[in-house]
């Protein structure tokens, strides 16, 4: 008997028990909580020929950008490629093959076609959305989901996830009012949905609504607990406090909720690096917090798998005074540029320049850092991340311009930021510092 998922899509090779494990795992993934890997494994144990369970296992080990996840994903792919499959399921496997071999953009295009044909493919929408995020494809973050929306409604399981993804896509394209409404509705439907929660957090960050952001994150803690996305949401809360200059609150959140950067999970370490670097730019003493973080990044220093991660490893190595490891990352990125896959482009267009700029900043060569960052900041989205995450490039550029004594550029950049992010205490501070530099010149 052919088994279908809750949206009527065929699950080749599944029985009722295996399908239930699979559905639970997908639902957990849509909330970024629980242990969807265990669900995928349970489905495979029940039905070893369950094609989409193998696909789910591969996706779960690819989308964390963990170096150790790649061989697991490759094994899952190899276990499933010989199995019977529908066109939709073969689309997933083809996309996974692209991603295993480093072809992020090809993987995203294949999943685009899959979800055009099967707009109720919840897993397909989610993984496609994540690929758009990792490749910095802002328009597709919105439009991939917008195409599917007419095929969904609130009576369907997982609708909250579709709303949350659309909300994030709307936010990344500056449609803040609609983004906030969609994200809030996603949380109303499923309070444990960490992605919908985070989409609204992005709106408040981009609109400089720190008080609203703090209230939003504190009023609903459904995204915390067993969420594997909670460190990123705590990071958003810490960003609001950082903007307000409440460094004690930032450090308390870092220590209590962001595991002092010691989780060892790549995405958690990215957030930890990004937060400590922003504090570093504000001349805040973070004590020995850099050391544990640098130790966590150290095993990945020699291999550039994803340039966006490399840049955050660089921050930790520079902060910890590990110039040897920072140089190793630069060398790894140079090697990546000559290698296969899309990371050659991520590193070549953006990652290497930003890494070299951070190294120059750490060496006190602020003028060189300025030159490198000015070159890439207008197209830095090409190596992934969100507007909020890539803001660290602008912040580093402004600080480097001030420290280099480049009065005109520092003033221009500070005024530019104040215009773009008005009613921002940090913008006002940067304008004031640039003005003082000009007065002293």
């Amino acid at each position: 008997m052919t088994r279908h998922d809750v949206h009527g899509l065929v699950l080749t090779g599944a029985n009722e028990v295996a399908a239930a494990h699979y559905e639970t795992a997908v639902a957990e993934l849509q909330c970024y909580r629980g242990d969807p890997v265990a669900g995928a494994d349970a489905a495979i144990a029940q039905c070893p020929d369950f094609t989409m369970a193998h696909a789910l296992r591969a996706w779960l080990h690819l989308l964390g950008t963990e170096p150790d996840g790649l061989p697991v994903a490759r094994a899952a792919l190899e276990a499933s490629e010989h199995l019977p499959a529908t066109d939709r399921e073969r689309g997933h496997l083809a996309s996974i093959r692209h991603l295993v071999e480093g072809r992020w953009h090809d993987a995203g295009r294949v999943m685009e076609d899959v979800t055009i044909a099967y707009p109720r493919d919840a897993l397909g929408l989610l993984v496609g959305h994540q690929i758009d995020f990792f490749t910095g494809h802002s328009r597709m973050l919105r439009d991939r989901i917008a195409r599917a929306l007419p095929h969904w409604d609130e009576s369907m399981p997982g609708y909250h996830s579709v709303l949350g993804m659309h909300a994030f896509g709307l936010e990344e394209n500056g449609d803040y009012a609609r983004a906030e409404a969609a994200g809030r509705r996603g949380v109303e439907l499923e309070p444990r949905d960490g992605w919908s929660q985070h989409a609204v957090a992005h709106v408040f960050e981009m609109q400089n609504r720190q008080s609203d952001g703090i209230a939003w994150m504190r009023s609903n803690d459904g995204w915390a607990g067993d969420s594997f996305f909670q460190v990123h949401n705590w990071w958003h809360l810490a960003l609001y406090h950082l903007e307000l200059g409440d460094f004690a609150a930032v450090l308390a959140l870092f220590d209590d909720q962001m595991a002092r950067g010691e989780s060892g999970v790549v995405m958690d370490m990215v957030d930890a690096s990004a937060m400590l670097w922003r504090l570093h730019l504000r001349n805040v003493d973070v004590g020995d917090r850099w050391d544990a973080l640098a130790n966590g990044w150290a095993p990945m220093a020699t291999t550039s798998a994803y340039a966006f991660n490399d840049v955050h490893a660089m921050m930790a190595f520079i902060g910890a005074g590990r110039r040897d490891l920072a140089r190793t990352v630069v060398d790894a990125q140079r090697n990546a540029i000559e290698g296969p896959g899309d990371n050659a482009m991520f590193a070549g267009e953006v990652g290497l320049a930003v890494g070299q700029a951070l190294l120059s900043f750490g060496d006190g060569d602020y003028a060189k850092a300025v030159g490198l960052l000015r070159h890439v900041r207008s197209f830095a989205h090409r190596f992934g991340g969100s507007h909020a995450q890539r803001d660290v490039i602008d912040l580093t550029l402004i600080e480097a311009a001030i420290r280099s004594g480049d009065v005109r550029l520092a003033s221009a950049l500070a005024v530019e930021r104040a215009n773009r992010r008005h009613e921002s205490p940090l913008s006002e501070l940067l304008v004031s510092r640039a003005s003082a530099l000009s007065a002293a010149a």
Side-chain angles (χ1 to χ4, degrees), residues 62 70 74 95-107 135 305 340-346:
L62 286 170
L70 188 58
R74 184 178 289 110
S95 183
I96 290 166
R97 170 62 67 186
H98 283 306
L99 197 49
V100 162
E101 296 178 358
R103 297 187 294 269
W104 287 82
H105 293 289
D106 287 343
T135 56
D342 290 338
N343 190 48
M345 178 183 65
F346 300 154

Side-chain angles (χ1 to χ4, degrees), residues 65-113:
T65 68
E66 295 279 348
D68 292 343
L70 188 58
V72 179
R74 184 178 289 110
L77 176 64
E78 291 171 354
S80 58
E81 284 185 306
H82 72 282
L83 297 175
T86 63
D87 287 344
R88 177 184 74 92
E89 291 165 337
R90 280 191 289 271
H92 274 267
L93 299 181
S95 183
I96 290 166
R97 170 62 67 186
H98 283 306
L99 197 49
V100 162
E101 296 178 358
R103 297 187 294 269
W104 287 82
H105 293 289
D106 287 343
R109 279 189 288 270
V110 169
M111 290 313 302
E112 178 183 359
D113 289 341

Side-chain angles (χ1 to χ4, degrees), residues 27-326:
E28 288 180 334
L29 179 58
Q30 288 177 310
C31 289
Y32 294 84
R33 61 176 291 272
D35 190 356
V37 173
D41 289 346
I44 293 168
Q46 177 70 27
C47 290
D49 292 342
F50 185 177
T51 305
M52 281 306 296
H54 289 285
L56 175 59
R57 189 168 196 266
W59 283 126
L60 290 168
H61 286 87
L62 286 170
L63 296 179
T65 68
E66 295 279 348
D68 292 343
L70 188 58
V72 179
R74 184 178 289 110
L77 176 64
E78 291 171 354
S80 58
E81 284 185 306
H82 72 282
L83 297 175
T86 63
D87 287 344
R88 177 184 74 92
E89 291 165 337
R90 280 191 289 271
H92 274 267
L93 299 181
S95 183
I96 290 166
R97 170 62 67 186
H98 283 306
L99 197 49
V100 162
E101 296 178 358
R103 297 187 294 269
W104 287 82
H105 293 289
D106 287 343
R109 279 189 288 270
V110 169
M111 290 313 302
E112 178 183 359
D113 289 341
V114 168
T115 52
I116 286 173
Y118 303 94
R120 294 183 183 178
D121 184 341
L123 178 60
L125 290 171
L126 187 149
V127 299
H129 187 67
Q130 287 299 311
I131 291 169
D132 294 334
F133 169 75
F134 285 119
T135 56
H137 203 331
S138 297
R139 178 173 175 176
M140 280 299 290
L141 279 168
R142 176 193 62 198
D143 296 345
R144 182 186 301 269
I145 310 303
R147 296 166 180 174
L149 271 174
H151 302 273
W152 288 78
D153 62 56
E154 291 194 1
S155 69
M156 297 177 182
Y159 181 61
H160 65 91
S161 173
V162 179
L163 286 177
M165 290 186 288
H166 193 225
F168 184 56
L170 290 168
E171 177 276 321
E172 289 294 286
N173 286 277
D175 195 344
Y176 298 129
R178 291 177 67 208
E180 182 177 348
R184 283 183 178 275
R185 185 56 183 152
V187 172
E188 288 172 2
L189 292 173
E190 176 49 85
R192 301 170 300 173
D193 182 349
W195 194 261
S196 291
Q197 180 81 22
H198 131 278
V200 178
H202 271 269
V203 171
F204 294 145
E205 171 65 21
M206 300 308 294
Q207 292 187 319
N208 300 298
R209 294 163 60 189
Q210 288 81 32
S211 296
D212 289 342
I214 292 169
W216 169 247
M217 300 307 286
R218 293 292 190 187
S219 64
N220 171 40
D221 62 358
W223 50 267
D226 65 347
S227 171
F228 47 83
F229 199 62
Q230 63 177 306
V231 167
H232 188 69
N233 275 334
W234 288 120
W235 179 80
H236 275 285
L237 178 58
L239 275 185
Y240 303 136
H241 287 289
L242 181 63
E243 177 75 32
L244 297 173
D246 189 352
F247 303 134
V250 174
L251 291 173
L253 284 167
F254 186 88
D255 291 341
D256 298 340
Q257 306 296 348
M258 298 177 67
R260 291 181 56 87
E262 298 173 2
S263 80
V265 175
V266 167
M267 295 181 72
D268 293 350
M269 292 195 297
V270 165
D271 289 330
S273 290
M275 185 52 62
L276 291 184
W277 186 260
R278 283 167 169 80
L279 289 166
H280 178 63
L281 295 177
R282 302 287 293 270
N283 289 312
V284 176
D285 182 3
V286 299
D288 63 356
R289 292 176 177 86
W290 282 118
D291 296 335
L293 187 56
N295 289 337
W297 281 115
M300 305 171 216
T302 59
T303 305
S304 173
Y306 180 51
F308 186 83
N309 293 349
D310 298 337
V311 163
H312 289 82
M314 286 285 291
M315 294 174 187
F317 296 148
I318 294 165
R322 296 298 307 275
R323 197 180 191 281
D324 56 329
L325 290 174

